[in-house]
Amino acid sequence: MALAAATVSRDFVLGDVVTTGGGVLHDARLRYRVLGDVDAARANGWILVFHALTGNAEVDAWWGPIVGPGLPLDTSRHAIVAANLLGSCYGSTGPAEAAARGDAPFPLLTPADLAGSHEPLLASLGVQRVALATGGSLGGMVALEWAKRTAVPADRVVVFAAPSVTSPQSIAWNAAQRMAIEADPAWRGGLYHPGPGPAPGLAAARAIAMITYRSSIEFEARFGRARTRRPDTFDVDSYLRRQGEKLVARFDAASYVALTHTMDLQDVGDHAEAARATSSRVGEIVGVGIDTDILYPAPEVRGWVEAYRPHTNARYVEITSRFGHDAFLIEFDQVSAILRG
């Protein structure tokens, strides 16, 4: 059994990447990990995972209960490959690196750009068949785009909590977050020096985002109007501030701005055309909605699945949860059942 080292990250050199909008990302690279049995993957297919906005390639960290031998992402029968998306800040080429070498402004990247960057990576690994490609939120957008264009046949693609086209409401939420970052004097148009940067702005952006990631049902049940931590502050206020502090400690504001723009640009185009392209590459595509999601509501996911269905093997599944958009990172029993298929 040839198990890839779970703790080893590697860099794959992409070279100059020309984006959908005509921009150029110079000397780009992907930081990626391979986890699982590579020999078994040649027989049973690989698993390809795309992470969400502030996620990374450490799939076993944020989806840990479903990763491992005998689990839905079965590392004894498959090998998982996951790359830090272009534009993020965990090793792949992102805005901070580009600014440091004078390549600002960082080009706009679409989900299609992020999907396309995986093609040469998979070719370099000798991937000839994907048993499962999956991701949630931004990762789901990339998975949906990857399904349209992959050169590698895939048995199944599972898209969690992601639309086929980003709605004006969702764009507005992201715009408000970027405004919070841009209002921070340390932002400096994205040309801030390495270090803390626009920390208060990023913390405020994260607080706004958390309102869209969770549901009013959870906020009521978890916090209500309690003030148990400080008599002058509601617990939900303290929670949002703490979430901001935690993100500032691990994420880069310029990457946050870049990737929220990427999410805004999601648009698969004509659904029939996209579905036919997917049908020639993918055995089954599954769209997963979340009943309490206010960022990408379940009807948006159901809508593109229904539009795909006449032209490809598409199926809709819904997660029931009080946790809202983040349920795909929390409701492991339901996610497991969906991924086991």
Side-chain angles (χ1 to χ4, degrees):
M1 180 182 294
L3 289 175
T7 57
V8 176
S9 294
R10 300 178 176 87
D11 286 340
F12 176 73
V13 177
L14 290 166
D16 290 350
V17 173
V18 179
T19 71
T20 301
V24 179
L25 192 58
H26 296 287
D27 300 323
R29 71 179 182 283
L30 287 176
R31 177 72 54 83
Y32 73 97
R33 293 177 70 229
V34 174
L35 174 63
D37 190 332
V38 173
D39 287 342
R42 294 189 181 103
N44 302 317
W46 291 66
I47 294 173
L48 175 61
V49 179
F50 303 102
H51 67 74
L53 170 60
T54 63
N56 53 38
E58 309 287 327
V59 181
D60 47 333
W62 47 267
W63 251 359
I66 63 175
V67 177
L71 296 174
L73 301 188
D74 190 345
T75 51
S76 64
R77 287 180 47 82
H78 308 277
I80 301 169
V81 58
N84 183 225
L85 297 175
L86 288 176
S88 192
C89 57
Y90 289 113
S92 295
T93 301
E97 176 183 331
R101 64 189 188 195
D103 285 348
F106 193 75
L108 286 175
L109 297 171
T110 67
D113 293 326
L114 303 189
S117 69
H118 284 70
E119 289 302 303
L121 170 62
L122 297 183
S124 74
L125 294 171
V127 175
Q128 297 183 335
R129 173 179 156 232
V130 168
L132 169 70
T134 188
S137 195
L138 172 58
M141 298 177 190
V142 179
L144 196 55
E145 288 288 348
W146 183 84
K148 287 170 47 183
R149 66 194 65 239
T150 175
V152 180
D155 297 348
R156 194 159 57 113
V157 174
V158 180
V159 177
F160 289 93
S164 60
V165 57
T166 303
S167 72
Q169 182 79 18
S170 298
I171 293 171
W173 281 115
N174 283 341
Q177 294 170 58
R178 290 191 294 269
M179 289 170 66
I181 293 171
E182 292 161 3
D184 190 318
W187 171 242
R188 297 181 60 205
L191 300 178
Y192 52 90
H193 298 296
L202 179 58
R206 181 63 163 185
I208 296 169
M210 291 306 301
I211 299 169
T212 74
Y213 296 162
R214 300 303 177 96
S215 75
S216 60
I217 298 170
E218 186 199 2
F219 279 178
E220 180 63 37
R222 184 174 178 182
F223 304 112
R225 292 179 57 81
R227 290 184 281 190
T228 59
R229 298 184 182 184
R230 290 177 49 185
D232 61 340
T233 304
F234 287 105
D235 286 357
V236 69
D237 183 326
S238 298
Y239 167 78
L240 292 176
R241 292 178 185 276
R242 178 58 183 148
Q243 294 302 309
E245 292 170 358
K246 288 166 62 178
L247 186 71
V248 165
R250 70 176 180 86
F251 209 74
D252 176 61
S255 285
Y256 197 93
V257 167
L259 291 180
T260 56
H261 275 303
T262 298
M263 296 168 80
D264 292 348
L265 294 170
Q266 167 68 351
D267 186 353
V268 300
D270 180 79
H271 282 108
E273 184 178 333
R276 284 192 290 268
T278 299
S279 181
S280 67
R281 296 164 166 82
V282 176
E284 180 188 41
I285 187 159
V286 182
V288 183
I290 299 166
D291 66 341
T292 52
D293 192 344
I294 65 171
L295 182 58
Y296 303 121
E300 292 185 8
V301 181
R302 187 187 302 111
W304 70 253
V305 172
E306 291 175 351
Y308 269 45
R309 192 172 289 136
H311 312 283
T312 191
N313 182 17
R315 179 165 58 93
Y316 176 73
V317 182
E318 190 162 297
I319 290 174
T320 301
S321 176
R322 71 174 188 175
F323 294 114
H325 181 70
D326 271 356
F328 75 93
L329 296 169
I330 300 171
E331 299 282 6
F332 291 118
D333 287 346
Q334 294 184 67
V335 170
S336 294
I338 293 166
L339 290 179
R340 283 190 188 280

